[in-house]
Amino acid sequence: MTGDERTADLEPELRSYGVSVESIDGGDPLELTYMTAFPGREIHRGEIGRALNALIEQAEADEWDPVRVEGTVVRSPGDVLGTWRAEAEWFEALASYEISETEFSARVLDTVSHETGAGDEDDDRSETDPEADR
C-alpha cells in the first residue's frame, strides 16, 4: 500500500470517530482540518482525542506511518478556532510504551493555540472589567 492510499484511508477512519474532516493532506506533516461540533471560544479536548485515537489505531494496525500532525479546527469554513500538533516521535514513544497515554495527551494539549477574532478582545474585557458595561 502506498503512502497516498494510506492517507486516503485516514479520512473515513477519522469520520468513524466523529471527526468532521474538512480537508486532509497526507504529506509530512499530515495537515488535518476539521469542523468542530463545539464552536465556542476554545478547542474541545475530546475532539482532539478522537482524532488522535483514530490515528493511533491506524498506526497500530500498520495502516499509517506516523508523521507530524498539524490540526486546524474551524467553526465554519474559513473561520479558524485554533490549532494543535502531535509529533511523529510522540506517536512512536506511545507505541513503544516509552510514554503513557496521559503524557502523550499532555504534550499535544501543550501545543494548542487559539485564534483571537476581532470580537474576542471586547468579550474578554467585559468579562474581567466591571466598568466595561457602563
Side-chain angles (χ1 to χ4, degrees):
M1 184 178 289
T2 69
D4 290 341
E5 290 169 337
R6 287 177 176 226
T7 300
D9 291 342
L10 288 178
E11 184 172 348
E13 185 68 18
L14 287 159
R15 289 186 183 281
S16 77
Y17 273 76
V19 178
S20 181
V21 177
E22 289 290 300
S23 67
I24 188 166
D25 179 354
D28 185 359
L30 174 84
E31 295 175 3
L32 169 65
T33 300
Y34 62 92
M35 189 173 304
T36 183
F38 306 93
R41 296 178 67 186
E42 293 187 358
I43 296 173
H44 191 270
R45 292 177 175 195
E47 282 185 325
I48 296 172
R50 287 195 303 270
L52 291 170
N53 284 332
L55 295 171
I56 290 166
E57 184 174 292
Q58 289 296 98
E60 288 174 347
D62 200 30
E63 297 292 324
W64 177 65
D65 296 323
V67 296
R68 177 184 171 125
V69 177
E70 295 181 354
T72 301
V73 184
V74 297
R75 293 180 188 98
S76 61
D79 181 11
V80 175
L81 175 59
T83 61
W84 56 266
R85 76 174 195 290
E87 300 293 339
E89 298 81 33
W90 302 347
F91 287 101
E92 293 161 3
L94 180 64
S96 63
Y97 302 102
E98 294 172 26
I99 63 172
S100 67
E101 291 177 3
T102 302
E103 175 66 20
F104 179 85
S105 296
R107 289 180 183 191
V108 173
L109 292 176
D110 283 346
T111 71
V112 171
S113 173
H114 294 97
E115 294 289 317
T116 54
D120 287 348
E121 290 134 303
D122 291 339
D123 291 345
D124 289 343
R125 187 177 61 107
S126 65
E127 288 177 10
T128 59
D129 183 359
E131 300 294 317
D133 292 331
R134 295 186 183 161

